[in-house]
Amino acid sequence: MRKTSARLLSLLSLLQARRDWPGAVLAERLEVSPRTLRRDVDRLRELGYPVLAVKGPDGGYRLDAGTRLPPLLFDDEQAVALAVALRTAAVTGAGIEDGAARALATLRQVMPARLRHRIDALPVTSVARSAPQTDTGVLMALSAAVHAREVVRFDHAPARPGDGGPKAVPPRRRVEPHHLVARGGRWYLVAWDLDRDDWRIFRADRITPRAPTGPRFVPRELPGRDVAAFLTARFRGSDGSPDWPCRGEAVLHLPASAVFPHAGDGTVEELGPDRCRLTLGSWSWPSLAAAFCLFDTDVEVVGPPALREAFAALADRCARAAAGPAAL
């Protein structure tokens, strides 16, 4: 029979691997008697692990949540994944960089040498956007309201300081929170605005929650039933389809291989060694025309007519800019 310490680690690893374990199966996996298994479970409880006895025909055990965090046991892949995740915490926008750095130092200190070498051989440089960080307390409060389905009240700061006048008071909102979403280094609250009777998206870093939360509500059905598609549609200026509201085609005097890496979500069709058809979308026709011009080559507009008109307006605007202030 293995030493008690080795059995306890094996038992803890098994309990963390799945929710419920029949006692007979655990005893068989550990190659011990049911009596020895019960003693080992008691030892884990003394160490702070909340191991519950599961009632039923087979009986068994479950590792439950406790009131404090006992020592955890990770396999090699879990430890490496956790270390990489902690290194990239700066790009989450959640304002947890210091906590993540301390957690990574603690984890690295107890790692076996072979795992430390794997982590050190994987340099990770996290480049965070220059976006305001969201207070973790705000995220926790919003997350709790989403989970509890409780109406929240909050002040929502303007996009830029001074918007609405020097003494403007941030507007107070009353919403039914449905989703808390991270996108592009920022956190957003997707909610039903009770005063505007419509869906709204709020930047979490501009939210100042007001206590207490309101009554519970029955969740509404989000348009499209997909929060990712809903956010994409709203950021693209569309209330329905997740597609861009403006989409057009043009022929570029460049090989398809040179256009494809910079086409984003557009489609590129090869027409010859130095010609390709590019289909792009954007939130407005002028911005779509400007997107085609970014490729710095001759452009033949295929359609629709609104794109051709946008090119004409953009050309006129650029000509005035090139002529200087006197032409304005």
Side-chain angles (χ1 to χ4, degrees), residues 9-198:
L9 289 175
S10 297
L11 174 57
L12 180 58
S13 179
L14 291 172
L15 289 172
Q16 291 180 158
R18 56 186 270 189
R19 180 171 176 81
D20 294 319
W21 279 97
V25 176
L26 268 181
E28 181 180 354
R29 291 286 295 270
L30 296 170
E31 300 179 348
V32 297
S33 67
R35 181 180 178 183
T36 300
L37 175 62
R38 288 193 295 270
R39 287 202 301 264
D40 288 346
V41 167
D42 289 338
R43 291 189 180 100
L44 285 180
R45 289 168 176 162
E46 292 173 359
L47 293 173
Y49 295 96
V51 183
L52 302 181
V54 179
K55 297 181 180 180
D58 297 328
Y61 299 97
R62 172 191 303 165
L63 185 60
D64 199 22
T67 58
R68 64 187 181 90
L69 185 65
L72 301 177
L73 185 65
F74 299 104
D75 61 31
D76 289 5
E77 296 303 321
Q78 288 174 323
V80 172
L82 181 58
V84 173
L86 290 171
R87 282 187 172 182
T88 58
V91 299
T92 64
I96 56 173
E97 294 88 346
D98 291 341
R102 293 197 305 271
L104 179 58
T106 302
L107 178 64
R108 193 180 183 282
Q109 185 177 3
V110 298
M111 273 186 171
R114 68 179 187 281
L115 294 185
R116 285 201 302 271
H117 293 329
R118 289 181 62 182
I119 295 299
D120 295 341
L122 183 64
V124 177
T125 301
S126 299
V127 181
R129 295 179 55 177
S130 57
Q133 296 290 303
T134 304
D135 185 86
T136 53
V138 172
L139 292 179
M140 295 297 291
L142 295 177
S143 178
V146 170
H147 180 74
R149 300 300 187 191
E150 293 178 341
V151 172
V152 293
R153 298 177 301 116
F154 56 83
D155 297 334
H156 193 251
R160 293 177 296 275
D163 285 4
K167 296 183 180 180
V169 177
R172 183 161 298 180
R173 299 298 184 94
R174 190 171 56 95
V175 306
E176 297 175 351
H178 280 68
H179 300 277
L180 187 61
V181 185
R183 186 180 191 270
R186 288 194 175 105
W187 288 84
Y188 299 91
L189 178 67
V190 179
W192 178 264
D193 194 314
L194 292 168
D195 297 321
R196 291 157 179 79
D197 199 33
D198 194 11

Side-chain angles (χ1 to χ4, degrees), residues 136-304:
T136 53
V138 172
L139 292 179
M140 295 297 291
L142 295 177
S143 178
V146 170
H147 180 74
R149 300 300 187 191
E150 293 178 341
V151 172
V152 293
R153 298 177 301 116
F154 56 83
D155 297 334
H156 193 251
R160 293 177 296 275
D163 285 4
K167 296 183 180 180
V169 177
R172 183 161 298 180
R173 299 298 184 94
R174 190 171 56 95
V175 306
E176 297 175 351
H178 280 68
H179 300 277
L180 187 61
V181 185
R183 186 180 191 270
R186 288 194 175 105
W187 288 84
Y188 299 91
L189 178 67
V190 179
W192 178 264
D193 194 314
L194 292 168
D195 297 321
R196 291 157 179 79
D197 199 33
D198 194 11
W199 290 99
R200 290 291 189 269
I201 299 173
F202 303 95
R203 280 225 338 232
D205 59 276
R206 296 176 185 164
I207 290 177
T208 302
R210 294 288 180 177
T213 54
R216 295 176 64 87
F217 62 89
V218 177
R220 301 172 187 264
E221 186 174 294
L222 189 70
R225 301 183 181 182
D226 186 322
V227 66
F230 177 78
L231 247 66
T232 299
R234 286 299 177 97
F235 284 127
R236 288 179 174 181
S238 171
D239 290 333
S241 168
D243 196 7
W244 292 105
C246 302
R247 182 169 288 276
E249 299 180 19
V251 173
L252 305 184
H253 291 203
L254 286 173
S257 59
V259 174
F260 179 76
H262 310 288
D265 62 353
T267 57
V268 183
E269 177 186 356
E270 185 175 8
L271 300 179
D274 295 311
R275 285 165 58 87
C276 66
R277 184 195 305 268
L278 175 61
T279 302
L280 283 180
S282 187
W283 56 273
S284 72
W285 292 112
S287 68
L288 182 58
F292 281 107
C293 292
L294 292 175
F295 287 92
D296 192 23
T297 188
D298 290 338
V299 180
E300 302 172 22
V301 177
V302 176

